Amino acid sequence: MNPESAAPSASPSPLLRPGHNCWRIEAAERVAFLIDGSAYFPAVREAIARARHSVFVLGWDIDSRLQLVPDGAGDGLPEPLGEFLDAAVRRTPSLRVWVLTWDFAAIYAMERQLLPQLSLDWLTHPRLRFRLDACHPFGASHHQKVVVVDDRIAFVGGLDLTRCRWDTPEHRPDEPRRVDAAGTPYAPFHDIEMLVEGPVAAALGALARERWLRATGQRLPPPQPAAGDGDVLWPAGVEAQLRDVPVAIARTEPAFDDYPAVDEIRRFHLDAIAAARRTLFFENQYFTAWEIGAALAARLQDDDAPEVLLITPQRESGWLEVNTMGVLRGRLHRQLTDADRHDRYRACCPRVPGLASGCLNVHSKLMVIDEQWLTIGSANLSNRSMGFDTECNLILEAGGRADVQAAIAGLRARLLGEHLGCAPEAIEAARAAHDGRLLATVDALQQTDDAHRHLQPLATVGSADLDHLIVDNTLIDPERPMTGDQLLAEFTPPPTRRSVRERLMAPVLLALALVGLTLAWRYTPLSEWLAPNQLIRVARELEDLPFTPLAVLAAYTIASVVAIPISLVIGVTGLVFGPLTGSLYAVGGSLAGALAGYGVGSLLGRRTVRRLGGRRFNRLDRKLAERGIFAVVFLRLVPVAPFTIINFAAGASRIGLRDYLLGTLLGLGPGAVLTVVFADRIAAAISKPTPLAIGLMIGCALILLGSGWWLSRYLQRRKQPSEPAVPCAAAPAAAEPEPGA
């Protein structure tokens, strides 16, 4: 079908404006759309294997154990990602590889590979570099997913080179190849990437170098590719959907230090929604951006409202996201449903027959507007992606070109065909029969019985009570960075008089939330070997050994060095050994782990620890040098950095061992004892739920909450002026020499 037959004949005016809703518009010699990991992963491997000069990988996460082609690539290089990258640079002396991923928060430690530095930097060739990106405000993340090869071709989309991402468009529930590095199956996963060749790839290379400079302080020169390199690099099995077309790059970057805020992706979404004539088609992991929702609600109330079809997961990943982001999404969904005067809004999840969860995990970030505009990238429809995290999207604008309109319409037909279980040609034929109406096309083709794939209307999930408790999205899904004072104010009760009931409700609800979190950790069947139930099993085995104290101290030491969250280990200790013995083990083990980390930091030296800790190390080093024992006590009471990073930083700093251990004991000891007792009381309440056991558990929770409340009040009274901005980079520009061959 000619897409112009379902749209007004006049071409819309250009929407893209560099400096407003995009960064740059550059030429692409070829463009291809790669749907799902089975198309993307082999293509990116083939391109990297052919690289001659440089490879940049920007990501939210990476896993060196990932096998990009489950059946084997057959290119003579190792299959695991880390070994593959190392072999690629060893085989090609002129090749350098730079990998930059988010310096992630501790809450994600259980989902990620431990110490990726080991397999992607320390044990690899010097021309393969891995670094963590901490150049962002507190609470923000580096979320761009970009791979650039020789500045000639580039991949941009929603897929990281990490675990649990590979899948085929069939999304079979019993797909034997869909397993992680440990052989554990995971649920079907849907995403999309855009592959581009030419000057736009060079622009993405410049973006990657700028990000590397901000994160590391090292300025990298661009490569000097030769003519014809694009033909060598373009994956042999990938068919280009477009040739010689302009492609725009849009970004999100939060204001940080001396870097201004960039919100090009937000501006493009708002401009595109306002310009839409007939259809707005979304695939997105999240839907919580209030400004995007308000713009859609305003359009749905127009007499000439466009159709809006949103494809998203049925529910978020895990109970925490369900009851936070899920609540915000449900609120926005109801807002659009109420604004839909003409029955032109629909939110759906793709249902897959035989799938235990029912609906497919949609991770893609795509928007199609009237076959005139298309954007694919890393940005979710969330406030974070619009202004708080770093993001990168690519945008196509038809500008009256029939081939671009046909390619955009064809991609949408492929995606709808995947979700409805029919060929793209059937989608286009049904759309032509229904005068271009998208929702009517879906209704005409889908078979809603359990034996067929179809789009199921989105059901609101999450607790109705939590909907009232979550007043706004300031902390859950922030739009912009928060200062320390603002963050403290969010957690500190306002100085107003409140009734007894109001004073009691907040601690009780927080205590229940804490109990629920602990129960989830205790009883959720997690497959990772570092899951709490696995740690408890190991701890119980240690309990039966004749040298239990030494074994426990050794376990704490290992956990501290490899960055297992210390609070998790302390909680497990309380569950297994009880309040008295567990407290002794927790305090002694924490000191042993702190001492081991101190020793590692001292041996590695300031330069190596600075690379590990990034800008966090600069601040910790300064505090430790200025305040000594008091700084250690403060850092243990208020963990502004992970336990392991603090240990390493202390060992590499000038603080004495005596002050360090005494500060650790004073700062960590009381909290460790309280945590052990609380964990023990939870176990007692679960095994024998007597009124006394439940009362003691709640009492322990209130003590913990009261201690945290007192600490926040104390810190508020002693607030100091904000510190001057600390550069993200750990070293000045070009301070680190290029590695040799």
Side-chain angles (χ1 to χ4, degrees), residues 8 26 32 84 91 106 160-161 189 206 220 237 268 273 301 358 363 376 393 463 523 599 614 689 692 733:
E26 301 287 349
F84 162 70
R91 187 179 66 173
D160 281 304
L161 300 180
F189 191 91
L220 303 175
F268 172 74
I273 291 170
Q301 292 179 358
H363 192 263
I376 294 172
N393 277 28
S463 168
Y523 287 104
L692 177 60

Side-chain angles (χ1 to χ4, degrees), residues 11-46:
S11 299
S13 59
L15 186 71
L16 293 172
R17 288 183 288 154
H20 170 67
N21 55 19
C22 64
W23 174 44
R24 296 165 62 171
I25 302 176
E26 301 287 349
E29 296 161 11
R30 280 184 279 189
V31 174
F33 308 123
L34 306 174
I35 300 177
D36 295 316
S38 60
Y40 169 57
F41 287 150
V44 76
R45 179 182 172 107
E46 186 175 345

Side-chain angles (χ1 to χ4, degrees), residues 219-350:
R219 190 180 301 276
L220 303 175
Q224 302 298 324
D229 278 0
D231 292 333
V232 173
L233 296 172
W234 187 271
V238 175
E239 178 183 356
Q241 277 77 52
L242 286 168
R243 292 180 178 270
D244 300 321
V245 61
V247 176
I249 304 171
R251 306 161 300 165
T252 298
E253 294 176 358
F256 188 60
D257 288 345
D258 295 329
Y259 302 113
V262 175
D263 62 348
E264 296 153 357
I265 293 175
R266 179 187 70 87
R267 292 174 182 270
F268 172 74
H269 276 74
L270 295 176
D271 292 344
I273 291 170
R277 299 179 178 183
R278 300 198 58 165
T279 59
L280 283 155
F281 175 76
F282 299 92
E283 279 193 0
N284 211 278
Q285 178 186 9
Y286 294 118
F287 184 49
T288 58
W290 71 268
E291 198 170 5
I292 302 299
L296 290 171
R299 290 305 316 273
L300 287 170
Q301 292 179 358
D302 291 344
D303 291 336
D304 59 344
E307 292 183 299
V308 178
L309 177 57
L310 168 68
I311 297 178
T312 190
Q314 173 60 33
R315 47 190 297 127
E316 284 71 15
S317 176
W319 67 270
L320 182 59
E321 282 195 2
V322 167
N323 289 295
T324 52
M325 298 293 280
V327 169
L328 297 179
R329 184 183 72 172
R331 187 179 298 167
L332 202 56
H333 177 51
R334 290 192 298 272
Q335 176 187 346
L336 295 187
T337 301
D338 294 341
D340 185 18
R341 296 171 50 198
H342 309 288
D343 193 23
R344 293 177 184 173
Y345 164 70
R346 190 175 301 175
C348 304
C349 69

Side-chain angles (χ1 to χ4, degrees), residues 185-208:
Y186 57 89
F189 191 91
H190 172 69
D191 213 325
I192 185 169
E193 292 275 323
M194 187 186 295
L195 168 59
V196 292
E197 175 191 64
V200 65
L204 289 165
L207 181 148

Side-chain angles (χ1 to χ4, degrees), residues 71-149:
D71 294 325
D75 55 10
L77 295 172
E79 297 298 336
L81 176 62
E83 297 175 27
F84 162 70
L85 294 175
D86 183 52
V89 298
R90 292 180 186 275
R91 187 179 66 173
T92 307
S94 59
L95 178 62
R96 287 168 169 79
V97 177
W98 293 278
V99 180
L100 185 69
T101 65
W102 177 39
D103 188 5
F104 56 91
I107 192 172
Y108 293 102
M110 302 296 293
E111 302 176 10
R112 292 172 175 250
Q113 181 183 12
L114 292 175
L115 283 180
Q117 296 94 331
L118 188 66
S119 52
L120 288 169
D121 195 87
W122 297 347
L123 300 180
T124 60
H125 194 279
R127 285 185 279 107
L128 171 56
R129 297 289 186 88
F130 172 81
R131 296 292 183 269
L132 293 172
D133 188 343
C135 189
H136 44 68
F138 176 80
S141 73
H142 173 71
H143 198 247
Q144 295 170 335
K145 292 105 185 292
V146 180
V147 176
V148 185
V149 180

Side-chain angles (χ1 to χ4, degrees), residues 515 519 522-523 540 574-576 578-579 678-694 696-697:
V515 170
L519 291 176
R522 176 65 177 84
Y523 287 104
R540 293 199 184 281
L575 289 173
V576 174
F678 182 48
D680 175 72
R681 290 301 87 203
I682 287 180
I686 293 173
S687 60
K688 296 181 180 179
T690 64
L692 177 60
I694 295 174
L696 289 174
M697 178 186 66

